[in-house]
Amino acid sequence: MTHRILIVGQDPDTVDYTAPGIIPGMTADKVRAGVTASKQSLEGQGYSCDSLYIQPAPAVAETEVAAALSRATYDVVVIGAGIRNPPANLILLETVLNTIHRAAPQTRIAFNTRPDDTDAAAVRWLGR
């Protein structure tokens, strides 16, 4: 059975890269490159992997995450550090977590520390 993984991150073009909690020197291009590399790593290991860049508005993000979870059943959802770390994103993080809990209660949740360790975050929770 192939495990399915969903990577959820804030749209890199909407991130305030000067905000507290954001890795110094991070850019939209670095986020995209890191997520792409992690996605390719996961697919190279035989996993099925989708990525979803959400808008920072909680109501919009809720709709985007719920729609993605209605299209497929995922074994793990990895929530990016850009959603989790900046204090200003607390409501966005709570919205994403509650949407996953409601729409896919059987799905494991993982957190990365930067875009290019998303693959390790997902694999930690597969098979548990």
Side-chain angles (χ1 to χ4, degrees):
M1 173 179 152
T2 300
H3 291 287
R4 287 190 73 122
I5 299 160
L6 177 63
I7 301 167
V8 179
Q10 184 174 326
D11 178 339
D13 292 326
T14 66
V15 173
D16 175 2
Y17 294 99
T18 65
I22 298 294
I23 298 169
M26 189 59 62
T27 66
D29 288 339
K30 288 179 182 178
V31 169
R32 283 189 194 87
V35 170
T36 298
S38 285
K39 188 173 182 282
Q40 289 171 343
S41 170
L42 289 164
E43 290 169 344
Q45 295 173 62
Y47 300 116
S48 175
C49 188
D50 298 317
S51 57
L52 173 68
Y53 288 128
I54 61 171
Q55 294 303 304
V60 176
E62 180 177 16
T63 301
E64 293 169 328
V65 172
L69 293 172
S70 73
R71 289 189 294 268
T73 299
Y74 293 96
D75 298 291
V76 176
V77 175
V78 180
I79 299 172
I83 292 174
R84 186 180 76 258
N85 287 342
N89 277 1
L90 179 61
I91 294 172
L92 178 61
L93 173 62
E94 290 175 341
T95 300
V96 171
L97 287 170
N98 284 305
T99 302
I100 295 166
H101 177 65
R102 185 177 53 255
Q106 77 291 347
T107 301
R108 304 267 187 203
I109 297 171
F111 299 103
N112 67 7
T113 61
R114 50 186 202 280
D116 61 351
D117 74 355
T118 300
D119 50 345
V123 171
R124 270 196 309 268
W125 289 98
L126 292 173
R128 287 189 175 204

